[in-house]
Amino acid sequence: MLPTILSLIALSAAKTVVDLSGRDWTLTNQQKNVSIPGAVPSHAHLDLHAAGVIDDPLYGDNSIIDNWVAVSNWTYTSPPISGLHNASTASTYLVFDGIDTFASISLCNQTVGFVDNQFRQWTFDVSPILSSCAHSTPTLSLAFTSALDAANYLMNPTTANNSVSCAECFEIAFVYTGREFIRKQQLDFGWNWAPAYSPTGIWKPAYVVQLAAEGEVYVTNSVVDIYRQGQLNNLPPDQTQPWVVNASIDYLGVIPPNATFRATITSSSGKTLLSGPLANVTSANGTITGSTIVSDSEPELWWPVGHGAQNLYNMTLEVVSSAHGTITSVTKRVGFRTIVLNQGVITAEQQAQGIAPGANWHFEINGHEIFAKGSNLVPPDVFWPRVTEEQFRVLLDTAVAGNQNMLRVWGGGAYLPDYVYDIADEFGIMLWTEMQYSDAVYPVTPTFLENALAEANYQIRRINHHPSLAVWSGNNEVEYGLDIIELVLPSAVGVAQKLYETLFLDVLLNAVYANTRSISYLPSSITNGYLSLNHSAALPMVERYNNLSAGSVYGNSDYYNYDVTQAFNLSAFPIARFATEFGFQSHSSVPTYAPAVPADQLSFNSSIILYRNREYPLNYSDFFSSYSSPPAQLNITQQSLDGLGQMSQATSFHLPTASKHSTMGNFTTQIYATQMFQSDFYRAQIAFYRRGSGQPQRTLGSLYWMLNDIWAAPTKASVEASGRWKMLHYGARDIYKSVIIAPYLDEAGIAQVWATSDLWSEAKGTWNIKWYDWSGNPLGGGAADKEGDVTIGALNSTQVWEFNSTALPFGGHTAVAFLTVDVDVNGTKYSHTNRFFPLPLSEQVVIDAIQDPHLELTHTGENKFSVKSETVAAWVWLEHPDGVSGYFSDNGFWMLPGTQEVTFTIKNDTTNGKWAEGVTIRSLYSLTNS
């Protein structure tokens, strides 16, 4: 239950904070004659649903039916605010941690101010207003303007300043246009995996703060920056230098001039690392800053998961006055680590090691190169006020369970809550963090830039102390968009590049450099890196763009190929230093669809499934034709239903297909097939990029698109909106193991087998390849079986075998190879098994050879199962019923005749253990027969 609006937090004898959270607000819309209870934090959609005015916004096609909510203006009004001091004896402030997005604020019917940025913290001194307030219990009101209307107004050529904007340059638009002109979550306007709700409301906590005397302050933000002495952003530091701790507190109120600024840092065991006053203390403009050097002892370092311990320290910052004692204090949990995105020129030493010339593009943690294994993270819900810490804990635990060490916080959503970074600190997940700009050329009016700078300063300072923070990226794909402009509107390239550089290479880069020295800045998620870096220059970073040298390798890749005939063509995959995005969509499972889609719509081409298929622009006019007229801001584009078509093409081209006897039977089979293809497609690419760690491109990162879903729909996610794992997540977990073996087949039929390790020590052991027919019998008397010794260098890859798959001593139609590597690394054993089949599984001769494995599933314990197969069984899939959440120890696996034990990690069970009776099992064979 939310606290009432009148809850008071007494922080000292006179300082008072009134928490405005609660359900006692009123939400009104005069045009629609709506007046209902409202809440803070909340959104209008959530309050309307709670009051029964609208149905569940995420059910069926309610986002169309209830579109009127997004295009309407709403007013939130508080109940009378009691418990305040006399305005003549106290300074009074309003503090809003988040308002979404355009609102005029009034107190006592007097205007306080206007807000226009979802991502800023807003503070207002309302002492004069409160002094003249006629009521002892004033009320607060926020009148919201529809963000869609605001964007439409600002992008209008008659109102926009065309000399500092370029609406026609580049905007990937989905449902609504003009998002680049406002500072609101960009996906609220729709995306190719998300609906368009454009919610409105006070989405984060809000407070009334009263300070009655000197020496009373209210902390609005704080920053801790920990780095090696002499360290500069984007450059690898000297790891032998001592640590510098720089800290600031942003506050409302007045700090006495004789106050001291102190810091204490202790380990989790209570050992003190640092205690005492900070040096070089300055206090001005509502900020006190100081620094110190940790020179007496070397702290234990923080490492990403899989590479060391996540050592964390408790830090307390105090402002102390002899007259007032402790004026304020801030506690944080920090870690000591250096993390750098190295984009420097390839050195002569690197070239001597076989690395292609060009520029680096990889992360280094505490001086060590690291292979970033992970995915892209998107908002877990359309409505942030109902997102919980537990929701993120489960999601990040899912990433770790999937052998991931990095998540990219995508730049079209919202900046994550502080608790997400706390969880990442604990789990050892590096968070590539983007400022919230995506796929558009943004205006650079003085007002927009001022707004952007205030947003950046607040967010950088709020997040910086977390050791999990890996890099600040200015945007998602905007630099990549400059190439698109050059193709479709070459006359605008110069204008677009100037606008791009003003915002991302001047304002935002300098915001990062001004607030931290420990974190690298990346102007855009996809880039060839910088041409030069000079911290003394007014514009420190000059981008390389397409100034490339033949034979050299630069930058990272963003790769999507929907030509399913080329899905496993190695020559189609990009050669890059880092793979930031790649993917292909699949369906969610029926248990995830069922709560969100009417039962009669659970079929492949139903109108609701078609509507939720956001892959590429939809024919929205068709969807809206049976409803009221679509809003003027809608971006209506004609096109075929590519997403579902692509999935159908992929499964029919690469897998057996068989029609079932019922609509639901066909749907579940199609879901299974799309998830199977998606998993194998990602596995092939991840293995390819990991092999690149031992090739001239020296690829050191793979982040697939995407980890999680925002709603139940066909998407590229590996985890469904319900939290249920797709086959992709199991497949990625397997191919993200520290040591893997994988086959790489070229178009001529030549197969290479490589072993890869992302560990920092040499791996030694053995490998083998064994061939079987689909019945599970050894093939060719072992003539094609191979084995040998293998040594894999630290963070490297090595070829162990090569063969011609078209010249096997037996027919490829019935051949399946199982590849295994077993190695030892510093006394720890690592093993991995993979599989290879030389012919497409959609060929009739292969389909005829696939045998019924006669799978038997036995529940052998509370969360234990035994799977028995009589033949080679491909993509064995266990599906758990509703009522339980968690994941299997293995799933979507291949097995030889025999048994395999599988356990289920239970996260939540509402069935009292009865869920185990509802687990079902299937395999590839189910696609070969009706």
Side-chain angles (χ1 to χ4, degrees), residues 628-651:
S628 58
S629 298
Q633 301 95 327
L634 274 176
N635 174 46
I636 306 296
T637 56
Q638 298 286 334
Q639 70 113 53
S640 62
L641 301 172
D642 284 336
L644 297 184
Q646 290 161 1
M647 287 190 287
S648 294
Q649 291 169 358
T651 55

Side-chain angles (χ1 to χ4, degrees), residues 7-247:
S7 61
L8 302 180
I9 305 172
L11 301 183
S12 67
K15 180 168 61 177
T16 300
V17 177
V18 179
D19 186 353
L20 298 176
S21 299
R23 303 206 62 86
D24 300 326
W25 289 68
T26 301
L27 175 64
T28 57
N29 180 307
Q30 292 181 350
Q31 291 78 17
K32 298 291 184 179
N33 195 27
V34 175
S35 180
I36 61 170
V40 172
S42 191
H43 275 135
H45 285 83
L46 300 179
D47 293 330
L48 290 165
H49 177 45
V53 177
I54 64 174
D55 292 332
D56 180 356
L58 289 178
Y59 185 78
D61 54 1
N62 283 345
S63 60
I64 299 175
I65 297 171
D66 299 322
N67 173 263
W68 64 274
V69 179
V71 300
S72 299
N73 299 328
W74 296 94
T75 298
Y76 277 91
T77 304
S78 76
I81 305 171
S82 61
L84 299 179
H85 294 290
N86 189 308
S88 63
T89 61
S91 298
T92 306
Y93 302 88
L94 289 177
V95 179
F96 297 94
D97 286 343
I99 299 175
D100 186 7
T101 295
F102 293 88
S104 178
I105 305 171
S106 60
L107 180 69
C108 299
N109 294 319
Q110 299 182 55
T111 299
V112 172
F114 178 77
V115 298
D116 59 354
N117 189 325
Q118 178 183 356
F119 307 122
R120 284 178 62 178
Q121 180 191 60
W122 297 95
T123 61
F124 300 94
D125 185 344
V126 294
S127 304
I129 293 178
L130 202 59
S131 296
S132 61
C133 185
H135 304 285
S136 59
T137 53
T139 59
L140 177 66
S141 178
L142 282 81
F144 286 87
T145 299
S146 165
L148 305 178
D149 287 341
N152 195 46
Y153 172 80
L154 291 170
M155 73 174 291
N156 192 312
T158 63
T159 54
N161 188 337
N162 290 324
S163 65
V164 285
S165 66
C166 187
E168 72 278 10
C169 279
F170 171 60
E171 179 202 359
I172 295 182
F174 295 94
V175 179
Y176 303 104
T177 57
R179 58 181 169 77
E180 70 268 31
F181 287 87
I182 66 174
R183 294 307 302 133
K184 177 174 173 58
Q185 180 167 268
Q186 301 287 270
L187 72 81
D188 286 346
F189 281 47
W191 221 263
N192 64 340
W193 43 266
Y197 283 88
S198 189
T200 289
I202 306 169
W203 72 297
K204 287 189 174 184
Y207 308 93
V208 179
V209 176
Q210 286 198 306
L211 307 174
E214 181 186 75
E216 293 177 1
V217 300
Y218 176 84
V219 175
T220 57
N221 204 5
S222 58
V223 62
V224 173
D225 194 29
I226 299 175
Y227 54 92
R228 294 287 188 180
Q229 192 170 42
Q231 183 174 349
L232 294 174
N233 311 79
N234 291 80
L235 297 176
D238 183 346
Q239 298 294 331
T240 66
Q241 292 297 309
W243 292 98
V244 176
V245 178
N246 191 70

Side-chain angles (χ1 to χ4, degrees), residues 250-498:
D250 302 327
Y251 60 90
L252 301 173
V254 178
I255 290 179
N258 64 345
T260 59
F261 194 19
R262 299 178 54 86
T264 302
I265 301 178
T266 58
S267 68
S268 57
S269 63
K271 180 181 178 181
T272 299
L273 179 70
L274 173 70
S275 182
L278 298 176
N280 308 311
V281 175
T282 61
S283 182
N285 302 318
T287 297
I288 185 169
T289 299
S291 64
T292 190
I293 295 177
V294 179
S295 55
D296 294 337
S297 61
E298 184 71 12
E300 294 183 301
L301 301 181
W302 182 92
W303 298 93
V305 60
H307 291 281
Q310 289 73 59
N311 295 300
L312 297 169
Y313 289 82
N314 299 312
M315 182 175 187
T316 300
L317 296 171
E318 295 179 285
V319 180
V320 181
S321 165
S322 57
H324 302 89
T326 298
I327 295 171
T328 192
S329 65
V330 173
T331 59
K332 292 180 178 291
R333 196 176 57 183
V334 301
F336 288 79
R337 60 88 181 93
T338 64
I339 188 164
V340 175
L341 175 56
N342 187 340
Q343 297 180 84
V345 174
I346 295 294
T347 65
E349 181 182 4
Q350 287 178 300
Q351 289 193 54
Q353 295 169 352
I355 299 175
N360 288 286
W361 213 110
H362 65 261
F363 289 89
E364 296 178 8
I365 182 80
N366 299 323
H368 294 265
E369 294 179 347
I370 187 171
F371 195 101
K373 301 184 296 188
S375 55
N376 288 260
L377 180 69
V378 301
D381 197 330
V382 172
F383 304 108
W384 276 100
R386 66 182 184 184
V387 174
T388 66
E389 180 174 348
E390 179 58 24
Q391 197 172 353
F392 265 109
R393 184 169 290 276
V394 170
L395 193 56
L396 267 64
D397 177 72
T398 297
V400 173
N403 291 320
Q404 301 186 25
N405 60 28
M406 176 176 279
L407 295 175
R408 173 178 165 238
V409 183
W410 175 71
Y415 300 91
L416 296 183
D418 198 68
Y419 62 71
V420 181
Y421 290 85
D422 280 329
I423 298 169
D425 293 343
E426 296 172 17
F427 288 1
I429 301 176
M430 299 175 285
L431 293 179
W432 164 331
T433 302
E434 294 188 350
M435 297 178 183
Q436 298 305 307
Y437 302 85
S438 183
D439 291 315
V441 172
Y442 288 82
V444 294
T445 62
T447 301
F448 189 93
L449 293 182
E450 180 183 3
N451 209 349
L453 180 59
E455 169 191 320
N457 284 332
Y458 173 67
Q459 299 293 348
I460 294 165
R461 295 171 72 78
R462 179 179 67 87
I463 295 171
N464 192 76
H465 66 281
H466 292 283
S468 57
L469 176 62
V471 67
W472 273 110
S473 174
N475 65 72
N476 168 63
E477 297 179 331
V478 179
E479 189 170 314
Y480 179 71
L482 297 179
D483 292 337
I484 297 176
I485 297 170
E486 191 161 10
L487 290 174
V488 301
L489 192 64
S491 61
V493 170
V495 172
Q497 184 171 315
K498 183 177 180 181

